[in-house]
Amino acid sequence: ASEGKDGSSAAENIPPRVPQGKLGERSSAFSGQFFFEYLVVVSLKKMADGHYEPKITYQFPKRENLLKGQKEEEERLLQAIPLFCFPDGNNWAPITEFTSETFSFVLTNVDGSRKIGYCRRLLPSGRGVRLPEVFCIISCLGCFGLFSKILDEVEKRRQISMAVIYPFMQGLRESPFPAPGKTVTIKSFIPESGTELIELTRPVDAHLEHVEFQALLQRLSPHLILHIFASAMLERRLIFLAEELSVLSQCIHAVAALLYPFTWAHTYIPVVPECLLDTVCCPTPFMVGIQMRHLERVLEQPMEEALIVDLCEGKIIRAVGDEEEILPGKLQNEMLVSLNRHNNNNNVHTSEQVNALVSEAFVHFFVRLVGHYASHIKWGRSGSGSFQERAFCKAIASKSCRRLVKKFVKTNMFSLFIEEAEKSRIPQEGNG
């Protein structure tokens, strides 16, 4: 968000969804933006009945000079954060050992823009029993690898003192978000260690920096991944189950990223807080993650048809029933060969290589299926375009492909994509 010297920030300055031009086009959006809007610490406070409730105990930067509308929006945001930092309810008690975990959540504004909460839950250094706390960075920028590294630095400083975190975050706040493939160096002083230089590098391919496909490939067979992808493509209801918050958030972000260059535009909650479990009763499409301990409660809900995926066992608990037939056989087999090759390849791939290989397979699928969309936009003299849906569908020779496309063109994600294409006239040659 663009900011004034007083640190104020307006919601309307959050970068909008980046328009997509050609199918598969890469974007270098967000470079030069601020890294984050807030860092908050959420701690567990003992209530009168003996339970612990999450509360914000620290916020950086402080926002004192906000306009009324901005204050209301900020209060809504700050009320939601503790719930998502401790989505597993208030069944906490002081402990002596805890393995740090990293996860994320997404908050969607009324205008459809999204803010991401990058979280590190940790046990502060000390002796005896104590309560975990969550450090949460709120940003409108999707770059999970980069923010995970920032949280590593925050955790390292937390074990020394809270006071050491502030100058590091201040330095980060004064640095521009790097362009894809570029590095930003942050200077940070740590008592007894001296000044450290921390390098933060963005991946070259900006659209893959928020995703870890390896997390999905390790838990689900290529066959199941394609069933889930097909359900997401038709904007159905998807529920993912796992116990670890990190597994839920990583896998759901990965499933949403399979849809690139299209964007999931419905309810999207990587980790559903316990008090919001009735989200699964929504009649509209959703993609949500729920902790395994709540499975019975979820199955008891009066749900519409939904695909329920167990990420722990790598299986589907409840299916709609037609998942096997949604994707055209030939294209499905090509994708299976591609995914199996990455799974069986003995060469050790880096995370970036796996991301690129998997994404390429799914982008290629969309290019084969709907890559001819641009030649079916009729341009008026005023420069505005009009998509010719019937001609677009009729141009597909394969019956199974045409059957799928006729459903796909009715989805929200395809409509949004075409709306953007109709606004931005692009050269006709070489599309797809």
Side-chain angles (χ1 to χ4, degrees):
S2 73
E3 307 215 353
K5 289 179 182 173
D6 62 356
S8 61
S9 165
E12 59 268 23
N13 288 330
I14 296 170
R17 194 172 73 84
V18 186
Q20 299 290 349
K22 297 173 189 168
L23 196 57
E25 187 176 82
R26 303 292 188 257
S27 164
S28 60
F30 306 141
S31 54
Q33 296 288 328
F34 281 91
F35 268 88
F36 68 98
E37 293 184 21
Y38 295 101
L39 166 74
V40 297
V41 180
V42 177
S43 306
L44 291 163
K45 294 291 176 189
K46 197 167 190 175
M47 309 311 286
D49 63 359
H51 278 102
Y52 290 92
E53 268 192 25
K55 303 281 184 189
I56 292 176
T57 53
Y58 176 86
Q59 179 185 331
F60 170 80
K62 297 279 188 289
R63 300 291 173 93
E64 281 130 8
N65 305 316
L66 295 182
L67 301 171
K68 187 184 175 189
Q70 292 170 294
K71 277 184 179 166
E72 286 171 1
E73 197 232 339
E74 183 193 333
E75 277 167 19
R76 280 198 305 272
L77 177 72
L78 294 178
Q79 279 172 2
I81 290 171
L83 199 59
F84 287 93
C85 287
F86 284 94
D88 29 12
N90 52 12
N91 304 317
W92 286 93
I95 47 180
T96 54
E97 287 184 13
F98 181 76
T99 305
S100 299
E101 56 184 343
T102 308
F103 58 98
S104 58
F105 59 84
V106 177
L107 298 174
T108 306
N109 292 328
V110 179
D111 65 358
S113 62
R114 285 172 173 167
K115 292 185 182 183
I116 302 166
Y118 300 96
C119 301
R120 176 69 54 87
R121 192 187 280 178
L122 56 89
L123 197 61
S125 60
R127 290 181 179 175
V129 294
R130 51 209 187 280
L131 290 159
E133 58 192 13
V134 175
F135 284 78
C136 176
I137 299 171
I138 299 292
S139 176
C140 51
L141 308 173
C143 193
F144 291 86
L146 205 61
F147 281 95
S148 183
K149 191 171 178 184
I150 291 166
L151 288 167
D152 289 344
E153 296 296 331
V154 168
E155 181 168 2
K156 188 163 79 176
R157 283 155 181 75
R158 176 63 184 102
Q159 304 310 340
I160 301 167
S161 158
M162 278 291 289
V164 190
I165 296 172
Y166 175 84
F168 168 67
M169 295 306 289
Q170 184 64 43
L172 187 65
R173 195 161 179 74
E174 290 165 0
S175 303
F177 194 64
K182 301 298 181 187
T183 299
V184 161
T185 304
I186 314 289
K187 280 186 181 179
S188 179
F189 177 79
I190 296 183
E192 297 180 17
S193 300
T195 300
E196 284 190 359
L197 295 177
I198 297 140
E199 291 192 341
L200 300 169
T201 305
R202 269 182 87 186
V204 174
D205 198 338
H207 100 273
L208 293 174
E209 62 191 339
H210 67 290
V211 68
E212 215 35 89
F213 285 129
Q214 196 75 57
L216 210 55
L217 290 167
Q218 284 167 352
R219 287 170 180 85
L220 300 174
S221 70
H223 240 103
L224 282 190
I225 290 172
L226 289 186
H227 287 183
I228 293 162
F229 166 71
S231 298
M233 188 183 163
L234 295 185
E235 295 184 332
R236 294 180 170 182
R237 287 169 286 275
L238 293 98
I239 299 169
F240 295 87
L241 297 160
E243 200 49 53
E244 299 95 336
L245 306 182
S246 55
V247 170
L248 283 173
S249 60
Q250 278 183 343
C251 288
I252 292 188
H253 288 307
V255 169
L258 294 176
L259 298 168
Y260 180 84
F262 301 94
T263 306
W264 181 264
H266 300 279
T267 300
Y268 180 71
I269 313 175
V271 183
V272 175
E274 188 177 5
C275 60
L276 296 179
L277 285 178
D278 60 359
T279 301
V280 300
C281 300
C282 289
T284 53
F286 57 74
M287 197 184 293
V288 299
I290 290 170
Q291 285 186 289
M292 188 58 81
R293 69 184 78 171
H294 303 310
L295 175 58
E296 280 188 34
R297 275 180 63 189
V298 168
L299 294 176
E300 287 166 4
Q301 302 286 337
M303 275 189 290
E304 308 238 353
E305 281 188 323
L307 182 71
I308 305 180
V309 182
D310 180 344
L311 294 168
C312 304
E313 297 287 330
K315 64 182 183 182
I316 289 176
I317 292 177
R318 187 181 286 179
V320 174
D322 63 348
E323 287 83 3
E324 188 75 54
E325 290 95 48
I326 296 171
L327 300 180
K330 189 180 176 185
L331 291 182
Q332 180 165 289
N333 288 336
E334 284 177 10
M335 291 166 83
L336 276 174
V337 168
S338 186
L339 290 176
N340 278 317
R341 189 168 65 240
H342 306 329
N343 263 3
N344 301 333
N345 197 335
N346 293 325
N347 297 329
V348 178
H349 288 304
T350 64
S351 171
E352 287 80 7
Q353 286 171 326
V354 172
N355 284 350
L357 290 167
V358 173
S359 179
E360 189 181 312
F362 285 87
V363 169
H364 183 64
F365 166 83
F366 280 123
V367 169
R368 292 277 300 276
L369 197 69
V370 296
H372 61 297
Y373 77 94
S375 54
H376 292 278
I377 296 176
K378 194 174 180 181
W379 296 99
R381 288 182 182 175
S382 63
S384 62
S386 173
F387 180 61
Q388 310 297 297
E389 187 183 301
R390 279 190 69 188
F392 167 75
C393 292
K394 278 182 75 174
I396 301 166
S398 160
K399 283 184 181 177
S400 57
C401 287
R402 198 183 315 134
R403 192 164 54 242
L404 174 59
V405 169
K406 280 183 176 178
K407 292 177 183 174
F408 186 52
V409 294
K410 303 301 180 190
T411 63
N412 212 322
M413 71 178 91
F414 186 81
S415 299
L416 288 170
F417 182 91
I418 289 298
E419 275 175 33
E420 295 290 359
E422 287 172 335
K423 288 178 201 165
S424 52
R425 186 159 195 171
I426 55 178
Q428 294 300 302
E429 55 274 7
N431 285 308

